[in-house]
C-alpha cells in the first residue's frame, strides 16, 4: 500500500481487492458523515445505512490503512485491564456495561462476517494467553477466575495441554478463551467496506479531512477538494488521526508493533504447530504473539518498529526466538514483514468523546481494535439513531487530554524494544 511493503505486509498480499473508490470532489450532503475507514467507521456507516440513513464516509488514505490493516488479527474479548478492575476505573455502571459489550464482542464480529459473507479467513477456535513463569501463570489464573464467574467460556490449561495446542514447550499454562478467534484483518476491513457500499454508503478514499465547522445548525466537514454537510459527524480515526480532530491522536502514546510471516509451512509442521489454529500471545511485558494464516504461514510479532537499526535487531531476534520456541522449524524464511502503531491510553481503556453537539467518537483501543471497533461502531450508529442515549453508552464522556511526556514515552518504547531484543534472552 503506497509502495511500502512494510506498512501492511502479508495482509496486503493475501486480502481480496479493495472496493473501487475515488477521492471526494465537490459538495455532498448526508444525514451522517463518518471520518475514518477502519473498523469503527465502517461498522458505524454500515449499521446506519441499513437503518435507512444517508451516510458519507471519508478516509484519508485507503480502507484499512491504519491499525485495521496492520494488526495481528486476534478477535479478543475484553481489554488488557482485568475484568474486576473495570468498575473501579469507570464506575460500576459503565464498567459492567463495557465488560458485557466487549465480552460479547467476538460473537458480534463473527455474526457480522456471517451475515455479509465476508471472506476474511475467520477461525472460531479461540485464543491462548500463554503464561511465562510463575507470575504469568498467576496472571492467567486470575483472569480466568474473573471471566469465569461472569459465565465466560474460558479455561486455564496446564503446561502439557498448552504444549500440545501450541506445539512448543516452556509455557506454564495458557488461558483458552473460546469466545475468540482470528481473521485476516485487512480482508475484514475491505469486506465491511463492500457491505457498506452495498447498503448505500458513499465511501471516498484519498480524502483527508482538513476542516470542520458548523453552518445553520449542520456540520460541514471539508477535504482538499470537497465538503460534506451533515447533521451528525462520527470521528473514527483513532491513533492515526490528523486534521481538526488530532486531539484523539495526542491523547494516546504510540507503541510500535511488528509482524513477520514465514513462508507456508509443510503439512507435518502445520500438524505440530497450532494444530487447532488458535491465536496466541504471552504474558511478558514486551509481549510476543503468533498465529497461522489460511495458507499455513506462521505470523510472529512483538513490540518494535522495522525501521532504522530496529529492522535488523527485531528480525534477528525473531529468528532466534522462533528457533527456540519451535525447534522443529529449523532456519525460518520470512515471506513478509510489516509494522504499525498501537495507540495506548493512560489507563489502557477506550474513550468516548463528544467534540460538539452531534459530533462524537470512540477511540483508544490499546491493541484490541477488531472487536471493540466493530461493536463501538454499532453503538455509535444506535446513538445517532436515537436508540441509545448518551447516558446509556458503555463509556462515560471524557475530554481528550494529552498525557505527560508522550513523545518521550514513545521514544522509550521503541528504543526499549530494541534493547530487549538485542539482548536476545527473552526465549
Amino acid at each position: 500500500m503506497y509502495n511500502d511493503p512494510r506498512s501492511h505486509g502479508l495482509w496486503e498480499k493475501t486480502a481480496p481487492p479493495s472496493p473501487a473508490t475515488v477521492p471526494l470532489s465537490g459538495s455532498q450532503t448526508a444525514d451522517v458523515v463518518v471520518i475514518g475507514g477502519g473498523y469503527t467507521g465502517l461498522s458505524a456507516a454500515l449499521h446506519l445505512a441499513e437503518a435507512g440513513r444517508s451516510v458519507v464516509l471519508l478516509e484519508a488514505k485507503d480502507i484499512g490503512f491504519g491499525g485495521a490493516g496492520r494488526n495481528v488479527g486476534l478477535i479478543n474479548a475484553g481489554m488488557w485491564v482485568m475484568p474486576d478492575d473495570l468498575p473501579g476505573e469507570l464506575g460500576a455502571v459503565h464498567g459492567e456495561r463495557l465488560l458485557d459489550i466487549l465480552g460479547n464482542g467476538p460473537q458480534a464480529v463473527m455474526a457480522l462476517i456471517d451475515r455479509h459473507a465476508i471472506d476474511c479467513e475467520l477461525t472460531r477456535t479461540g485464543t491462548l494467553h500463554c503464561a511465562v513463569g510463575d507470575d504469568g501463570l498467576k496472571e492467567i489464573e486470575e483472569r480466568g477466575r474473573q471471566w469465569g464467574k461472569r459465565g465466560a467460556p474460558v479455561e486455564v490449561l496446564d503446561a502439557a495441554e498448552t504444549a500440545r495446542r501450541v506445539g512448543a514447550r516452556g509455557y506454564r499454562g495458557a488461558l483458552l478463551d473460546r469466545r475468540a478467534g482470528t481473521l485476516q484483518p485487512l480482508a475484514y476491513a475491505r469486506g465491511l467496506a463492500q457491505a457498506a457500499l452495498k447498503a448505500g454508503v458513499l465511501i471516498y478514499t484519498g480524502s483527508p479531512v482538513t476542516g470542520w465547522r458548523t453552518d445553520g445548525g449542520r456540520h460541514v466537514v471539508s477535504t482538499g477538494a470537497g465538503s460534506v454537510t451533515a447533521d451528525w459527524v462520527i470521528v473514527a480515526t483513532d491513533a492515526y488521526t490528523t486534521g481538526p480532530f488530532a486531539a484523539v491522536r495526542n491523547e494516546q502514546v504510540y507503541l510500535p508493533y511488528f509482524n513477520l510471516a514465514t513462508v507456508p509451512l509443510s503439512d507435518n509442521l502445520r500438524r505440530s504447530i497450532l494444530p487447532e489454529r488458535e491465536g496466541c500471545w504471552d504474558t511478558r511485558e514486551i509481549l510476543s504473539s503468533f498465529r497461522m494464516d489460511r495458507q499455513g504461514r506462521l505470523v510472529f510479532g512483538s513490540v518494535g518498529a522495522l525501521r532504522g537499526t530496529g529492522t535488523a535487531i527485531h528480525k534477528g531476534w525473531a529468528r532466534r526466538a522462533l528457533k527456540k520456541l519451535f525447534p522443529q522449524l529449523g532456519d525460518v524464511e520470512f515471506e513478509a514483514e510489516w509494522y504499525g502503531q498501537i495507540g495506548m491510553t493512560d489507563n489502557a481503556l477506550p474513550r468516548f468523546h463528544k467534540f460538539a453537539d452531534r459530533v462524537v467518537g470512540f477511540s483508544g483501543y490499546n491493541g484490541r481494535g477488531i472487536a471493540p471497533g466493530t461493536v463501538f461502531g454499532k453503538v455509535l450508529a444506535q446513538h445517532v439513531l436515537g436508540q441509545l442515549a448518551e447516558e446509556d453508552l458503555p463509556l462515560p464522556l471524557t475530554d481528550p487530554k494529552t498525557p505527560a511526556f508522550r513523545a518521550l514515552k514513545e521514544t522509550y518504547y521503541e528504543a526499549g524494544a530494541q534493547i530487549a531484543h538485542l539482548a536476545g534472552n527473552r526465549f
Side-chain angles (χ1 to χ4, degrees):
M1 198 177 288
Y2 290 87
N3 296 315
D4 183 359
R6 287 186 180 152
S7 67
H8 298 79
L10 178 67
W11 306 143
E12 176 72 11
K13 292 177 65 174
T14 61
S18 188
T21 55
V22 297
L24 176 67
S25 178
S27 299
Q28 293 274 5
T29 60
D31 295 325
V32 186
V33 57
V34 176
I35 305 172
Y39 304 133
T40 305
L42 292 165
S43 174
L46 172 59
H47 286 98
L48 284 165
E50 289 179 330
R53 298 298 190 271
S54 59
V55 184
V56 171
L57 185 147
L58 302 175
E59 163 56 40
K61 299 288 188 177
D62 284 321
I63 296 300
F65 177 81
R70 305 168 192 250
N71 66 78
V72 181
L74 306 184
I75 317 170
N76 284 312
M79 302 297 291
W80 293 107
V81 177
M82 285 282 190
D84 285 359
D85 293 340
L86 278 179
E89 288 282 345
L90 300 174
V93 173
H94 286 102
E96 291 300 329
R97 283 180 189 165
L98 190 63
L99 280 169
D100 180 65
I101 194 170
L102 295 186
N104 293 313
Q107 181 181 357
V109 171
M110 295 174 190
L112 200 59
I113 291 169
D114 290 342
R115 181 154 61 90
H116 294 284
I118 297 174
D119 180 13
C120 60
E121 303 187 18
L122 175 64
T123 71
R124 308 172 194 260
T125 51
T127 55
L128 294 169
H129 193 183
C130 300
V132 178
D134 292 341
D135 289 343
L137 183 60
K138 290 176 183 176
E139 178 186 337
I140 65 164
E141 286 176 340
E142 180 59 20
R143 192 177 293 274
R145 185 191 68 80
Q146 293 183 19
W147 276 120
K149 73 180 184 181
R150 290 176 166 84
V154 299
E155 179 185 355
V156 176
L157 308 178
D158 64 16
E161 178 62 11
T162 300
R164 186 192 72 79
R165 287 176 177 267
V166 174
R169 298 189 179 278
Y171 292 119
R172 291 293 308 280
L175 181 64
L176 171 62
D177 190 337
R178 293 185 175 85
R179 298 170 294 183
T182 67
L183 50 67
Q184 211 275 29
L186 183 57
Y188 176 51
R190 289 178 173 178
L192 286 176
Q194 291 279 16
L197 287 167
K198 186 176 180 180
V201 177
L202 299 178
I203 296 178
Y204 297 99
T205 53
S207 302
V209 171
T210 57
W212 158 58
R213 61 184 174 86
T214 58
D215 184 5
R218 304 192 82 197
H219 298 284
V220 182
V221 173
S222 55
T223 68
S227 65
V228 182
T229 301
D231 297 319
W232 283 83
V233 179
I234 289 177
V235 180
T237 44
D238 202 35
Y240 286 78
T241 304
T242 59
F245 301 102
V248 171
R249 155 69 180 105
N250 294 335
E251 74 171 344
Q252 303 181 58
V253 176
Y254 271 163
L255 179 73
Y257 202 90
F258 69 89
N259 282 287
L260 303 164
T262 69
V263 297
L265 304 182
S266 68
D267 289 343
N268 283 339
L269 287 172
R270 291 167 71 175
R271 282 192 290 268
S272 71
I273 298 175
L274 298 175
E276 297 181 41
R277 298 298 181 263
E278 300 96 340
C280 305
W281 76 103
D282 63 35
T283 59
R284 290 182 173 90
E285 184 176 359
I286 301 179
L287 65 85
S288 301
S289 59
F290 48 96
R291 54 157 299 190
M292 288 281 194
D293 82 338
R294 179 186 287 167
Q295 301 303 319
R297 300 177 183 91
L298 183 60
V299 179
F300 185 67
S302 186
V303 178
L306 299 180
R307 59 185 174 191
T309 56
T311 303
I313 289 171
H314 297 313
K315 289 177 68 176
W317 166 83
R319 287 191 173 93
R320 296 191 302 273
L322 280 173
K323 199 167 187 176
K324 188 169 184 181
L325 188 62
F326 302 110
Q328 64 268 46
L329 276 176
D331 294 324
V332 297
E333 179 184 349
F334 296 127
E335 180 179 324
E337 58 189 58
W338 69 103
Y339 76 99
Q341 307 286 357
I342 299 172
M344 304 293 293
T345 60
D346 56 7
N347 65 351
L349 289 174
R351 302 284 193 267
F352 169 64
H353 294 314
K354 185 176 181 180
F355 302 93
D357 182 40
R358 292 173 285 116
V359 183
V360 295
F362 285 103
S363 59
Y365 297 149
N366 298 273
R368 292 289 181 95
I370 296 175
T374 301
V375 297
F376 282 147
K378 182 177 180 179
V379 165
L380 287 169
Q382 291 171 324
H383 181 53
V384 170
L385 294 167
Q387 299 170 357
L388 275 177
E390 186 176 304
E391 58 269 23
D392 297 324
L393 296 179
L395 285 171
L397 176 65
T398 56
D399 294 324
K401 182 180 179 181
T402 301
F405 308 111
R406 178 172 61 85
L408 182 62
K409 290 176 181 176
E410 292 177 350
T411 301
Y412 170 78
Y413 288 148
E414 184 164 352
Q418 289 190 35
I419 293 170
H421 287 163
L422 189 60
N425 59 359
R426 292 187 54 252
F427 276 91

